[in-house]
Amino acid sequence: MPLQVSDYSWQQTKAAVFISVPLRGVCVRDADVFCTENYLKVNFPPFLFEVFLYAPIDDESSKAKIGNNTITFTLHKKEAAMWETLSVSGVGKEMMQRIREKSILQAQERAKEAVEAKAAARREDQKYTLSVMMKIEEEERKKIEDMKENERIKATKELEVWKECQRKAEEQKKVQREEKSHQQEKQIEKEGKKLKHKSLTRNSASRSFATKGRNSQNIFFEKLKEDSIPAPRSFGSIQISFTPRVFPTALRESQVAEEEEWLHKQAEARRAVNTDIPELGDLKEEEKNPEWLKDKGNKLFATENYLAAINAYNLAIRLNNKIPLLYLNRAACHLKLKNLHKAIEDSSKALELLTPPVAVNANARMKAHVRRGTAFCQLELYVEGLQDYEAALKIDPSNKIVQNDAEKIRNIIQGTELKY
């Protein structure tokens, strides 16, 4: 049977009650404190301290501090008034038992409400995260579709301009051919008139000679006419083949060098990846992108699938081990799974890559220090954890959450602080 502690002391004001209970050399970790609005109990075997309070208190804002072999309670009254005694008088054993049972039921109901509120908040966060991701994906899809439509319109316009240029060139060539043919006909007609005039002015003494001369002139004229008119072209068929292209847009001479350089780099990277990681041969191209894998891991982390998120980050790190956010996000997963040493390693690796320290990577460096400090504290290495939290405060001095956590770590180093 536990020994009741009677050598305690208490003081009060209109707003609060202060109780000091000696621990009698008992270890701090063995002390169990239970408090409701009408009942206070401290169990530190083999001793027991309990009191049935004179009036209700605000147990949520009340505090207890353990240190120097003493537990000091600061109990805030619900109604500002001076109490006649600390414990209510005239309480029998049955009444005490009912108060104890009622206090336990109240504590259980409050714990149940807290769990339900936490679960509801988690569901709301998941719904919000899902809606945000769907909205982002919809915006990205619309953006891609707009880019495709713009490129299609641009290519169509360029094709129409090219067709118009070809049509004008063909018309110009046709006009030139007609002009050349007309000039050749005029030249032939002029030569025929000149020869006819010469034949009329010649001496007609010999009819046979004249006849022969006319025949020769006709032969010459026919020969000249045949030589002046070009022979018709022979028909045929031309086989046209188009050069295959990787890019969806038309070939442009100004971008040939850039496209060849890009294709060369992609081929080199693909060969390097397939050589180092043979199992990547079954993956799609987008699944070989470290940024895509990082986004996939973030989505899995948001759904609390931490092991799958770690697998995504692992593969992304094998593809590119110079991205600090991969290590930082994997450290968060290890922290959730209580893999504390791995969380410390990943946070340290992220801090190594986040150099030099500039304003752009300040938020990432702050998170790395906080996650490593949290892992140290969960390993009960509070001094190392406090060093990381202080480093995080140097980066972001106005962060209230980090300030409160650092203060709690200092209190743990100096003693222990519990809130109810």
Side-chain angles (χ1 to χ4, degrees), residues 31-269:
D32 182 19
V33 181
F34 179 75
C35 180
T36 62
E37 62 180 10
N38 292 313
Y39 178 68
L40 173 63
K41 182 183 76 171
V42 182
N43 183 19
F44 47 104
F47 301 100
L48 173 67
F49 170 77
E50 68 175 351
V51 59
F52 300 90
L53 299 173
Y54 181 81
I57 62 168
D58 186 359
D59 55 335
E60 292 184 355
S61 61
S62 299
K63 297 181 180 180
K65 187 172 183 180
I66 303 177
N68 298 325
N69 292 325
T70 304
I71 303 179
T72 303
F73 294 95
T74 303
L75 309 178
H76 297 281
K77 300 176 180 178
K78 285 192 173 181
E79 296 182 359
M82 299 298 290
W83 292 359
E84 295 179 2
T85 59
L86 177 62
S87 177
V88 63
S89 60
V91 179
K93 291 185 179 180
E94 294 181 358
M95 180 64 71
M96 290 181 182
Q97 186 62 26
R98 285 199 296 271
I99 293 174
R100 292 190 188 101
E101 293 176 354
K102 183 179 179 181
S103 300
I104 293 172
L105 289 175
Q106 289 177 351
Q108 291 176 349
E109 290 177 358
R110 188 174 299 173
K112 183 179 178 181
E113 291 175 356
V115 171
E116 292 176 353
K118 185 177 179 181
R122 182 181 299 172
R123 288 193 296 270
E124 290 297 326
D125 291 342
Q126 290 176 351
K127 289 181 181 179
Y128 176 74
T129 302
L130 181 60
S131 63
V132 170
M133 293 304 299
M134 292 176 63
K135 184 177 179 181
I136 293 174
E137 290 178 356
E138 180 65 22
E139 290 177 355
E140 290 292 332
R141 185 186 63 78
K142 188 175 182 301
K143 184 178 178 181
I144 293 171
E145 289 180 355
D146 291 341
M147 291 175 62
K148 289 182 177 179
E149 182 65 19
N150 293 334
E151 288 294 331
R152 187 190 66 78
I153 294 172
K154 188 175 180 180
T156 303
K157 289 181 178 179
E158 291 177 354
L159 181 60
E160 292 295 333
V161 171
W162 178 80
K163 288 182 178 179
E164 184 66 20
C165 292
Q166 292 293 322
R167 186 183 63 78
K168 289 181 179 180
E170 289 294 332
E171 290 180 355
Q172 187 175 2
K173 289 181 180 180
K174 183 177 180 181
V175 171
Q176 290 177 355
R177 286 196 299 269
E178 291 177 354
E179 290 179 354
K180 187 176 180 181
S181 177
H182 186 63
Q183 289 177 0
Q184 290 177 352
E185 290 177 357
K186 285 185 176 181
Q187 184 69 22
I188 292 170
E189 186 178 355
K190 186 177 180 181
E191 291 293 336
K193 289 181 179 179
K194 187 183 293 186
L195 292 174
K196 186 177 180 180
H197 178 70
K198 287 183 179 180
S199 62
L200 293 175
T201 56
R202 281 182 183 176
N203 192 354
S204 55
S206 176
R207 186 176 298 273
S208 61
F209 180 77
T211 302
K212 186 178 179 180
R214 283 195 300 272
N215 292 334
S216 64
Q217 288 176 4
N218 291 334
I219 294 172
F220 174 77
F221 177 75
E222 293 294 335
K223 184 178 180 181
L224 179 62
K225 188 174 182 179
E226 290 177 359
D227 294 339
S228 299
I229 299 175
R233 294 181 181 178
S234 59
F235 68 91
S237 61
I238 301 174
Q239 185 68 28
I240 299 175
S241 61
F242 296 95
T243 304
R245 277 181 55 75
V246 177
F247 301 94
T249 56
L251 177 64
R252 297 178 184 173
E253 187 176 357
S254 60
Q255 296 182 355
V256 170
E258 296 180 4
E259 291 179 355
E260 290 181 353
E261 182 181 0
W262 187 87
L263 291 172
H264 178 71
K265 289 182 179 179
Q266 290 294 317
E268 290 293 334

Side-chain angles (χ1 to χ4, degrees), residues 268-314:
E268 290 293 334
R270 196 176 296 109
R271 283 196 295 271
V273 167
N274 292 334
T275 302
D276 296 338
I277 311 175
E279 60 268 23
L280 292 183
D282 297 332
L283 299 181
K284 300 178 182 178
E285 285 299 323
E286 63 179 10
E287 295 174 346
K288 299 178 184 179
N289 186 351
E291 290 295 331
W292 186 91
L293 290 169
K294 179 173 72 67
D295 295 338
K296 184 69 174 178
N298 295 343
K299 294 178 182 178
L300 293 170
F301 181 86
T303 59
E304 299 184 2
N305 193 351
Y306 305 122
L307 289 175
I310 288 175
N311 291 334
Y313 295 137
N314 288 341

